[in-house]
Amino acid sequence: MARSSLISLILGGGKGTRLFPLTELRSKPAVPLAGKFRLIDIPISNCLNSGLEQIYLLTQFNSVSLHRHIRESYKFDRFGHGFVEILAAQQSQDEAEHDWYQGTADAVRKNLRYIEQHGVKHVLILSGDQLYRMNYSKMLATHKKSGADVTIGALPVTRQQAKGFGIMTLNDDGRVTDFTEKPQTDEAIDAVRTDPAWMDAHGIQSNGRDCLGSMGIYLFDRDVLVELLKADDAEDFGKEVFPRAIQSKHVQAHLFDGYWEDIGTIRSFYEANLELAGPTPPFDFADAAAPIYTQSRYLPSSRIGGGTITGSLISDGCIIGKNCTIENSVIGLRSYIGDGVTIRNSVVMGADFYQEDWHRTDDFAAGRPPVGIGDGSTIEGAIVDKNCRIGRNIAFAPPAAPAGAQYAPDADYDWGVLRDGILVLPKNTELPDGWTPDSGTAVRAVEATTASA
């Protein structure tokens, strides 16, 4: 396969409202992951590990930090043909491109001029907010062997999970004969279920799963994609393009049964991170054959004063004080953690910069906590975004769930949010020494908002 014959398009996603406030100041693919990576690093690394080096990234919301990360992370040999190029939503003389991207298909349609370049034969379309490891060359092999016009990555899911997926029905050869977006009733799911025995016979252990969900990974023959997108103004692949394409094109499923997680909500983000910190993570970053790439930051090793750290990820450049307890947590880049701090079941994203000692001294003199977590504080069941200033002797934990409920009800506060039982402290928030939820309004540190990620 000539390198120029297949291009990859990574969709940067919408506003990311379900991940708010993590997406208040950044786009969803730019959200930090596992302490030192970003969500966008996953599909880009999968492409590079599959030998695909011509990558376009489609963005439009809060994309400054994402653009900076791409620019500083993915630099190719100037004598080669590789690139990661950003295609931001923009106005042009073409009336069809005067608006924001209205959906997945619309975003690709507005960039057809890149797809229609000479020599392009196949187009791989990916999402920028999923965690998985996949060799796309195997998907291309399925596509070619079956003679397909379109191939969709297919993941076995349970009936309950099926309500959040586009569900495919296949014939015996794996050709897609029906595509239903997020069926909600038992009757609708029964109509699109796949016989578990068929999955088992095709190398997938069904394990009680009887539906095949779309992974949001699509491989098109270039000319077929152009034809489908020019036929009408359909905005979404799952809801509009695929149901129509099945009637006139050969749409094939490529079966995948590895770890795959859509990082679309606060709860899914939180749980995925904590799973990565466990002793047997479902997704292993320590894979020499298929590494996950990210920005080279040249940070020093973390310095740990003492205490107990169990089941946790500690990123580069951290300073952790004496007598600390860190359990089942992710500690991000440049985190400053004072003496006697306890962190449990939490994601602490760290900081974009190191604070000079004199600056920290000035903050203390002014009665302001420096960047980091102050002495004697406790963080539990929380996500602490970057550059937060948490003072001394603060207890930051979600309220108890009412009787009969799994979590306390979602809530919006002037200092953060509670989502699915998880407290989220937004980027640049400042909590003074001894702060409690009822003690007063928190402060947002304006000077940190333009720092690099």
Side-chain angles (χ1 to χ4, degrees):
M1 177 185 66
R3 287 188 176 183
S4 60
S5 69
L6 191 155
I7 61 172
S8 303
L9 299 181
I10 302 176
L11 306 179
K15 294 182 179 180
T17 52
R18 294 184 300 159
L19 267 178
F20 188 89
L22 302 182
T23 52
E24 179 183 11
L25 299 174
R26 60 169 75 88
S27 63
K28 188 160 55 170
V31 172
L33 175 72
K36 62 182 294 182
F37 301 93
R38 288 176 180 259
L39 289 175
I40 192 61
D41 292 327
I42 303 302
I44 292 178
S45 296
N46 282 333
C47 285
L48 299 180
N49 292 328
S50 302
L52 309 179
E53 297 184 345
Q54 298 192 1
I55 305 165
Y56 292 101
L57 172 59
L58 280 57
T59 69
Q60 66 179 334
F61 294 105
N62 286 336
S63 57
V64 172
S65 65
L66 178 61
H67 291 194
R68 183 187 298 116
H69 176 73
I70 296 299
R71 184 177 65 249
E72 296 179 356
S73 303
Y74 298 101
K75 301 175 182 178
F76 293 80
D77 181 352
R78 64 187 302 175
F79 297 106
H81 301 285
F83 60 81
V84 180
E85 187 168 322
I86 294 167
L87 303 178
Q90 58 186 321
Q91 289 186 336
S92 76
Q93 298 299 323
D94 187 343
E95 291 184 2
E97 299 181 10
H98 72 281
D99 205 352
W100 294 106
Y101 299 149
Q102 300 302 308
T104 55
D106 183 66
V108 176
R109 181 185 297 108
K110 286 185 167 69
N111 290 283
L112 281 179
R113 61 182 177 274
Y114 301 99
I115 294 170
E116 294 180 299
Q117 295 179 90
H118 175 72
V120 175
K121 296 180 180 178
H122 299 97
V123 180
L124 179 66
I125 298 177
L126 308 169
S127 295
D129 54 2
Q130 299 170 347
L131 178 59
Y132 65 103
R133 182 179 276 109
M134 184 176 183
N135 187 335
Y136 302 130
S137 63
K138 295 182 179 179
M139 187 174 185
L140 181 62
T142 297
H143 183 82
K144 290 182 175 180
K145 182 178 180 180
S146 65
D149 299 308
V150 185
T151 299
I152 305 174
L155 182 76
V157 296
T158 64
R159 295 175 67 87
Q160 184 60 35
Q161 292 171 325
K163 296 178 181 180
F165 283 81
I167 300 299
M168 293 172 281
T169 302
L170 312 182
N171 67 12
D172 288 342
D173 297 324
R175 180 167 178 168
V176 180
T177 58
D178 192 15
F179 190 100
T180 302
E181 185 72 9
K182 299 179 180 178
Q184 297 300 306
T185 66
D186 287 339
E187 293 78 7
I189 295 173
D190 285 339
V192 295
R193 71 181 292 275
T194 296
D195 185 351
W198 185 91
M199 295 188 199
D200 295 334
H202 287 78
I204 298 295
Q205 295 183 356
S206 56
N207 294 328
R209 300 171 294 181
D210 63 352
C211 293
L212 288 172
S214 169
M215 301 170 66
I217 300 173
Y218 316 130
L219 180 62
F220 286 86
D221 282 356
R222 191 275 305 273
D223 292 343
V224 171
L225 176 60
V226 172
E227 175 190 339
L228 290 171
L229 293 180
K230 287 185 174 181
D232 56 31
D233 57 356
E235 296 178 352
D236 186 84
F237 281 111
K239 294 178 181 178
E240 300 168 276
V241 174
F242 289 133
R244 176 166 48 83
I246 290 168
Q247 307 304 316
S248 60
K249 305 297 180 184
H250 180 168
V251 180
Q252 187 75 15
H254 174 72
L255 302 179
F256 176 84
D257 197 22
Y259 175 81
W260 180 93
E261 183 64 47
D262 181 7
I263 311 293
T265 66
I266 291 294
R267 170 59 63 174
S268 64
F269 172 82
Y270 173 82
E271 291 181 347
N273 273 274
L274 295 194
E275 286 178 346
L276 293 171
T280 56
F283 181 92
D284 190 2
F285 281 89
D287 186 337
I292 303 301
Y293 302 99
T294 192
Q295 181 180 348
S296 298
R297 297 179 176 87
Y298 310 108
L299 293 172
S301 301
S302 291
R303 187 166 72 245
I304 301 173
T308 303
I309 300 176
T310 55
S312 298
L313 296 177
I314 309 297
S315 302
D316 302 343
C318 297
I319 300 174
I320 300 175
K322 297 177 290 184
N323 302 316
C324 290
T325 298
I326 301 175
E327 299 176 356
N328 192 37
S329 295
V330 175
I331 308 300
L333 297 161
R334 306 183 192 87
S335 290
Y336 182 92
I337 298 171
D339 295 340
V341 169
T342 297
I343 301 174
R344 292 190 178 96
N345 306 317
S346 295
V347 179
V348 177
M349 292 190 182
D352 289 321
F353 53 87
Y354 279 123
Q355 194 173 20
E356 302 287 349
D357 288 342
W358 65 268
H359 193 182
R360 300 182 67 86
T361 301
D362 287 350
D363 281 340
F364 279 125
R368 183 185 189 194
V371 175
I373 300 173
D375 296 350
S377 288
T378 297
I379 310 295
E380 188 161 1
I383 299 172
V384 178
D385 207 336
K386 287 189 172 183
N387 308 332
C388 287
R389 299 165 177 261
I390 297 177
R392 293 169 288 195
N393 303 312
I394 289 175
F396 193 74
Q406 186 175 9
Y407 313 121
D410 288 356
D412 295 321
Y413 309 106
D414 55 12
W415 44 265
V417 305
L418 178 66
R419 293 288 183 269
D420 295 327
I422 303 158
L423 273 183
V424 184
L425 196 64
K427 190 175 183 180
N428 310 321
T429 302
E430 177 180 324
L431 305 180
D433 291 353
W435 175 91
T436 67
D438 300 322
S439 64
T441 303
V443 176
R444 297 295 293 275
V446 175
E447 78 276 8
T449 59
T450 58
S452 68

